[in-house]
Amino acid sequence: MRKITLMLCLLSFSLVFSQKEISGKVSDNTGAPLPGVNILEKGTSNGTSTDLDGNYKIRVKENATLEYSFLGFATVTKSASEGSTVNVVLSAGDQQLQEVQIVGSRNSKRTIVNSAVPIDVISMKDITTQSGKIEINELLQYVAPSFNANKQSGSDGADHVDPASLRGLGPDQTLVLINGKRRHQSSLINLFGTRGRGNTGTDLNAIPASAIKRIEILRDGAAAQYGSDAIAGVINIVLNDNVNELTGAVTYGAYNPHAEGDFLNGTANTHNYVLDQNRFGNSYGKDSKLDGGSVKVAANYGVAIGDKGGFANFTTEYLNKNKTLRPGYDFRKGFGEAAIQGFNLFGNLAIPVSDHTEFYAFGGRNYRDTDAYAFTRNGGERVVETVYPGGYTPRITSNIIDQSFAAGFRKQTASGWKIDFSNTFGKNLFHYYIKGTINASLLEKSPTEFDAGGHSLTQNTTNFDFSKNFSSVLKGLNLAFGSEYRVEKFNIFAGEEGSYATYDTAGQVITNPSSQSAPTIPNPDYDPTDPNSSATIPRPGGSQGFPGYSPANVVDKSRTNLSLYADTELDVTDSFLLSAAGRFENYSDFGSTTNIKLASRIKVNKNFNIRSSFSTGFRAPSLAQIYYNLRFTNFNSSGATEVLLSPNNSAVTKAFGINKLNEERAKNASLGFTASVGNFTATVDGYYIDVKDRIVLTGYFDASALNLGVSEAQFFTNGVDTKTRGVDVVLAWKKSFGGSRFGATLAGNFNQMEIYNVKNKGLDQETFFGAREKAFLLASAPKNKFALNLTYAIKKLDAGLAFTRFSKVVLVDYNNEDDVYGAKIVSDLTVGYQLTKQLKWSVGANNFMNVYPDKQDEQGNTEAGGYWDAVQMGFNGAYYYTRLGFSF
């Protein structure tokens, strides 16, 4: 044993002294220094970046190969054997097909350093190896200043797909691209106590993190450049293109379920907290030490195709995450995060077909099997005691299949024109299966599981784009123009009969209520002196927890969109950039719209830039907002009511004076600056967003007089106008001392939204869009959020420490009382060690201080029925994890 130890010590000693220090300067082909260039020792995680003056210093092995990469420039490879001083010139002048184009600019020569609008470029390798977060929304929540996402509970489909947004606007007001091509949205529309209530959005978690090279976030209105949905900004996901390298990781983690105060001391109502496996779908109790255990296995591999830069890169990812269970009130004994079992497969390839023409394709398939708690049925007409003695908690499970495929050709002509022709197809299918449930009108004969039907959204987009850089026009003009043709289709498909039907005492579907009646139970509140009081209560039909879609709910609707755009950038002088864009769009179902954008950037000196923009924007109503309809049961602490969500084109909607949905219209303005001093950089950008005719989901109107079989009705409508003001701040510093590397980044956002007009048109304003609905909209983002991320690395060891502060959030509960969630700081810690050249082991904790939101009152009036609502900081407590990463 001593010999082995001595040999290991000698080996480590020899490795240390076989390293050498390389230093130098990186510049462009004009001789200007390039700050922020990534320098990586190939095959390792050892790397650094250049400072403001383009200088760098790094310790590497004697025979190391160094890669120098920077957005907008061709990657350069150098050998450490060239000497201790290696100066590098990166070229952005050759007009090759592989030039990088960054979201927000169609100029392949533009970089984030000199852009006219705020752009975050986030390296997925950095944030995935220095964080225990396993989904895209969670990762971005803690690194992007104005990005916010929520885990939900008790919100039907929103428990399975996290609503996410920029700058506190709706999930459907942020456009998502993959490799610059429009990504389809989810078919789910958020209905209940969620952020993004009444909105659809793009399911970012359907894209495996291991398939992503970087994420670009344009924090500026861009509908004039990219079309509908880009009011708040654009998220562009750039897929991996590396070759001859197998990388991946195996991660395991679990949550600490023990909160502060009464719950930690074991004084919470045990009946509320311990669930029986047969009746509630979870046997976890308050004595468990951990829950929500998750396993994630991911791998990425690329192969070279030919000798002209072609490649094929593939990613596979498996995720298995158990439920969490947190304390809830009597009507919500299953408050917690949903279980997910998912499998991802993604690919990205490019094949040169000639010196100036390239074929490319990318896409993938995501499958998720999810399982979430609904609200508890404790007794009454919804409980059949012989099946579920004492009550039950139904579970809403779903199969979500998300698939996409894009293909196209890029060509460069002899005159310098770049031509890009592509077609992108995407489909999201959401299929509900309700378990641990019952159709109470069938009594003991009822199944306890139902296929409840579901919905799907299909989108096909064809793009034809042209661009050229004219270097002889002043200091450079980039001209881009093109067209887009899009077809969208929305479907709702019915479930099995028992999931939606009500049966009479003979077991027949009730089609004639005047001659058929459902089984009943005695009414405990019967008052024989009251002529309106009934001695019995009928058993309701349909699956409890989530009613199935019936043939009456079936939807098969489609529409088309044609758009034309022009986008220009002109370097008037070396210091002054001016850009302009315009876009015309025509929808087959509601008409046309034209939008513009102007932006500029002034270089005050080499260290300080001022930038500004103004744009108009729009968002077309989604097909789901126009045609979605459902009858459902709304639960709160007072009991249950039957509600009809009526489609926008229905007679019921028109009877309440709700007009046809029109597009949302926006005006965006921003003003900011960038500054660099030594190893310190800063960006500060203020913004103003005015959105008129925002589409919202109303409250519940009394519909008992309409003989619809429900007591209440609600609708989608262009209901409010909002103004949002805010500031994004990003401060970054990095420094190397000998063999040590330090980094510090502070990302912050101040956000203030105001609802300045409610368009209730004579309807009762409190019911139309009252305090509770306003609170949901305003709580889409905290008033401010700050994330301080600290990193340190030396030799084989690296560590990260992050503090994220979420400001106060106020929601309104079922009693119209404020539920106040005070500001909280969430602390994350990770430590990694390079075991070998191929293996890295990491351990850490998210929210290692185990901070929970403020517990609300004992009346149980929170939207989700738990001690807390779903707020941005999360409600699951500390998450501990370990990960083994590999690279071969």
Side-chain angles (χ1 to χ4, degrees):
M1 187 66 183
R2 290 181 179 177
K3 289 182 179 180
I4 295 174
T5 303
L6 179 60
M7 290 176 64
L8 289 174
C9 291
L10 290 173
L11 178 60
S12 299
F13 185 79
S14 63
L15 286 174
V16 169
F17 283 93
S18 66
Q19 289 188 333
K20 63 185 294 186
E21 184 174 86
I22 303 292
S23 61
K25 184 174 184 177
V26 182
S27 57
D28 63 17
N29 52 12
T30 68
L34 291 176
V37 175
N38 292 316
I39 303 161
L40 180 68
E41 181 182 359
K42 192 172 182 179
T44 74
S45 60
N46 180 33
T48 186
S49 59
T50 57
D51 62 19
L52 177 66
D53 299 318
N55 296 318
Y56 73 94
K57 185 182 295 184
I58 185 173
R59 291 190 66 85
V60 297
K61 295 176 182 177
E62 285 283 352
N63 59 349
T65 298
L66 295 174
E67 290 183 338
Y68 301 78
S69 61
F70 191 55
L71 293 178
F73 294 81
T75 298
V76 171
T77 301
K78 294 284 186 178
S79 172
S81 62
E82 294 185 17
S84 60
T85 301
V86 179
N87 295 320
V88 176
V89 176
L90 298 185
S91 176
D94 58 340
Q95 298 292 309
Q96 297 300 312
L97 293 171
Q98 280 76 24
E99 281 186 329
V100 175
Q101 179 177 295
I102 300 173
V103 67
S105 171
R106 288 186 166 89
N107 187 347
S108 60
K109 292 185 176 182
R110 189 72 57 207
T111 70
I112 59 173
V113 176
N114 58 15
S115 67
V117 289
I119 303 168
D120 298 319
V121 178
I122 300 166
S123 166
M124 286 303 291
K125 180 178 180 180
D126 290 344
I127 63 173
T128 54
T129 58
Q130 296 183 358
S131 170
K133 299 171 179 67
I134 58 177
E135 295 176 308
I136 299 298
N137 280 346
E138 289 182 301
L139 289 164
L140 294 179
Q141 168 91 326
Y142 289 86
V143 296
S146 57
F147 182 94
N148 284 282
N150 279 84
K151 290 289 184 184
Q152 301 291 145
S153 182
S155 300
D156 288 359
D159 286 21
H160 311 257
V161 178
D162 305 340
S165 66
L166 287 173
R167 292 180 166 174
L169 297 183
D172 50 9
Q173 293 171 331
T174 298
L175 175 64
V176 176
L177 311 174
I178 295 187
N179 286 352
K181 307 302 180 183
R182 176 181 282 265
R183 172 78 172 175
H184 63 278
Q185 291 185 330
S186 169
S187 62
L188 173 73
I189 189 160
N190 302 309
L191 299 180
F192 298 100
T194 66
R195 312 305 159 261
R197 181 176 165 95
N199 299 160
T200 52
T202 302
D203 186 2
L204 291 174
N205 289 338
I207 305 164
S210 302
I212 301 173
K213 181 177 183 178
R214 67 178 185 271
I215 297 178
E216 303 166 352
I217 301 179
L218 168 62
R219 293 180 275 113
D220 193 54
Q225 294 172 287
Y226 298 102
S228 178
D229 311 338
I231 289 176
V234 180
I235 297 175
N236 183 35
I237 295 173
V238 181
L239 299 176
N240 277 332
D241 56 5
N242 56 296
V243 298
N244 301 326
E245 185 180 25
L246 173 64
T247 60
V250 179
T251 306
Y252 175 77
Y255 287 98
N256 182 349
H258 300 296
E260 307 165 7
D262 293 342
F263 182 43
L264 180 63
N265 296 328
T267 58
N269 187 336
T270 303
H271 176 66
N272 287 351
Y273 195 63
V274 181
L275 300 187
D276 176 79
Q277 176 67 32
N278 295 324
R279 292 190 293 130
F280 299 108
N282 193 318
S283 59
Y284 169 74
K286 71 182 181 66
D287 294 327
S288 296
K289 295 181 180 179
L290 296 173
D291 74 348
S294 61
V295 176
K296 179 179 177 181
V297 181
N300 174 267
Y301 183 70
V303 296
I305 300 178
D307 56 0
K308 295 182 180 180
F311 68 90
N313 184 279
F314 298 98
T315 302
T316 184
E317 190 174 272
Y318 170 76
L319 174 65
N320 191 344
K321 185 168 69 172
N322 296 327
K323 294 187 185 78
T324 63
L325 181 62
R326 297 296 174 265
Y329 297 99
D330 194 51
F331 66 100
R332 190 73 203 283
K333 298 171 185 173
F335 172 64
E337 191 176 312
I340 298 175
Q341 187 173 39
F343 182 76
N344 256 316
L345 180 65
F346 244 74
N348 183 33
L349 65 87
I351 305 173
V353 296
S354 71
D355 289 341
H356 300 286
T357 304
E358 176 183 77
F359 170 77
Y360 62 89
F362 57 88
R365 186 178 191 271
N366 171 258
Y367 170 82
R368 273 177 290 175
D369 185 353
T370 64
D371 192 332
Y373 299 115
F375 280 67
T376 303
R377 274 63 173 168
N378 286 303
E381 69 275 18
R382 300 172 192 277
V383 175
V384 179
E385 290 287 338
T386 54
V387 180
Y388 294 118
Y392 58 103
T393 297
R395 289 152 45 223
I396 302 173
T397 77
S398 67
N399 287 343
I400 305 172
I401 300 175
D402 198 291
Q403 49 196 351
S404 62
F405 180 75
F409 288 91
R410 281 189 287 257
K411 179 178 177 60
Q412 183 174 306
T413 67
S415 59
W417 282 100
K418 295 179 182 178
I419 304 172
D420 187 342
F421 176 75
S422 66
N423 191 82
T424 305
F425 173 83
K427 181 176 182 179
N428 177 268
L429 172 68
F430 207 121
H431 198 152
Y432 293 94
Y433 297 90
I434 314 306
K435 300 180 180 180
T437 184
I438 199 169
N439 184 322
S441 66
L442 283 172
L443 301 175
E444 294 86 352
K445 297 179 181 179
S446 172
T448 56
E449 296 184 8
F450 291 100
D451 175 347
H455 36 74
S456 67
L457 177 72
T458 304
Q459 178 179 284
N460 192 83
T461 307
T462 304
N463 292 92
F464 208 4
D465 303 304
F466 301 83
S467 66
K468 183 178 180 180
N469 191 278
F470 300 88
S471 57
S472 60
V473 178
L474 296 179
K475 293 297 181 177
L477 168 68
N478 195 82
L479 173 64
F481 61 90
S483 63
E484 179 177 284
Y485 182 74
R486 189 166 73 250
V487 180
E488 298 174 335
K489 185 176 182 180
F490 177 68
N491 289 91
I492 295 178
F493 53 94
E496 62 181 288
E497 182 184 85
S499 72
Y500 59 82
T502 302
Y503 296 85
D504 65 13
T505 53
Q508 301 297 311
V509 176
I510 294 178
T511 57
N512 184 0
S514 63
S515 61
Q516 294 174 280
S517 59
T520 62
I521 66 167
N523 183 0
D525 299 319
Y526 172 58
D527 181 359
T529 64
D530 182 358
N532 295 319
S533 181
S534 174
T536 60
I537 302 174
R539 295 274 193 181
S543 52
Q544 291 297 306
F546 184 90
Y549 293 102
S550 74
N553 300 128
V554 168
V555 170
D556 185 357
K557 296 291 184 178
S558 61
R559 70 179 177 197
T560 62
N561 163 267
L562 174 66
S563 62
L564 305 171
Y565 76 88
D567 192 346
T568 63
E569 283 191 354
L570 176 64
D571 286 292
V572 181
T573 68
D574 290 332
S575 301
F576 180 51
L577 163 70
L578 183 65
S579 68
R583 191 178 188 98
F584 169 81
E585 301 222 8
N586 181 265
Y587 281 81
S588 60
D589 56 347
F590 78 86
S592 61
T593 179
T594 301
N595 293 277
I596 62 167
K597 181 172 183 176
L598 299 172
S600 65
R601 184 226 61 224
I602 300 173
K603 290 184 178 180
V604 178
N605 55 49
K606 69 175 184 178
N607 298 332
F608 191 83
N609 294 340
I610 298 175
R611 57 194 182 189
S612 63
S613 70
F614 171 81
S615 64
T616 62
F618 79 105
R619 191 193 69 80
S622 70
L623 290 173
Q625 288 174 323
I626 299 173
Y627 298 110
Y628 188 86
N629 66 104
L630 180 68
R631 294 177 183 237
F632 62 92
T633 305
N634 182 51
F635 262 81
N636 58 39
S637 58
S638 302
T641 54
E642 298 299 313
V643 181
L644 170 67
L645 200 172
S646 183
N648 181 251
N649 62 341
S650 72
V652 175
T653 303
K654 289 182 174 61
F656 279 87
I658 305 296
N659 295 330
K660 177 183 177 182
L661 289 179
N662 291 312
E663 77 272 21
E664 301 172 341
R665 295 169 291 117
K667 292 180 181 179
N668 290 60
S670 69
L671 178 64
F673 68 85
T674 67
S676 300
V677 180
N679 296 308
F680 175 78
T681 61
T683 66
V684 178
D685 294 279
Y687 56 87
Y688 171 83
I689 309 169
D690 186 326
V691 186
K692 288 184 168 57
D693 294 332
R694 285 188 67 165
I695 297 173
V696 297
L697 188 60
T698 68
Y700 303 137
F701 286 92
D702 183 3
S704 55
L706 299 179
N707 296 319
L708 299 172
V710 297
S711 56
E712 297 173 321
Q714 66 175 161
F715 323 96
F716 291 100
T717 181
N718 295 102
V720 299
D721 299 335
T722 65
K723 293 178 181 178
T724 303
R725 303 172 179 87
V727 178
D728 287 332
V729 179
V730 181
L731 311 176
W733 173 85
K734 60 178 64 177
K735 186 69 175 178
S736 296
F737 298 96
S740 301
R741 301 186 305 277
F742 294 88
T745 302
L746 177 66
N749 171 252
F750 299 90
N751 195 79
Q752 178 70 48
M753 185 190 297
E754 172 192 354
I755 301 171
Y756 68 90
N757 188 17
V758 177
K759 301 182 175 183
N760 53 311
K761 296 182 179 179
L763 295 172
D764 177 68
Q765 181 169 319
E766 186 59 31
T767 305
F768 180 85
F769 203 73
R772 189 161 163 268
E773 282 71 28
K774 289 178 181 177
F776 283 129
L777 185 62
L778 297 175
S780 296
K783 294 287 182 68
N784 56 75
K785 181 181 76 172
F786 286 93
L788 175 63
N789 294 280
L790 307 173
T791 60
Y792 172 76
I794 182 171
K795 298 180 181 177
K796 297 184 177 182
L797 181 71
D798 61 65
L801 180 62
F803 303 96
T804 306
R805 181 188 184 276
F806 298 92
S807 72
K808 180 175 72 174
V809 171
V810 179
L811 295 172
V812 176
D813 64 24
Y814 288 118
N815 280 348
N816 285 323
E817 297 175 347
D818 287 351
D819 285 348
V820 180
Y821 297 91
K824 300 286 184 179
I825 296 177
V826 176
S827 307
D828 302 337
L829 175 66
T830 184
V831 178
Y833 186 78
Q834 197 76 38
L835 298 172
T836 68
K837 184 178 179 180
Q838 291 82 23
L839 298 174
K840 180 181 179 181
W841 179 46
S842 301
V843 294
N846 304 332
N847 188 12
F848 66 81
M849 297 296 289
N850 199 31
V851 177
Y852 279 80
D854 292 337
K855 179 185 171 183
Q856 298 305 303
D857 62 49
E858 298 290 349
Q859 297 179 21
N861 292 310
T862 61
E863 178 71 21
Y867 283 8
W868 323 280
D869 280 300
V871 290
Q872 284 81 7
M873 65 161 290
F875 56 83
N876 281 319
Y879 178 79
Y880 312 109
Y881 68 91
T882 183
R883 177 175 54 245
L884 182 65
F886 56 86
S887 176
F888 297 96

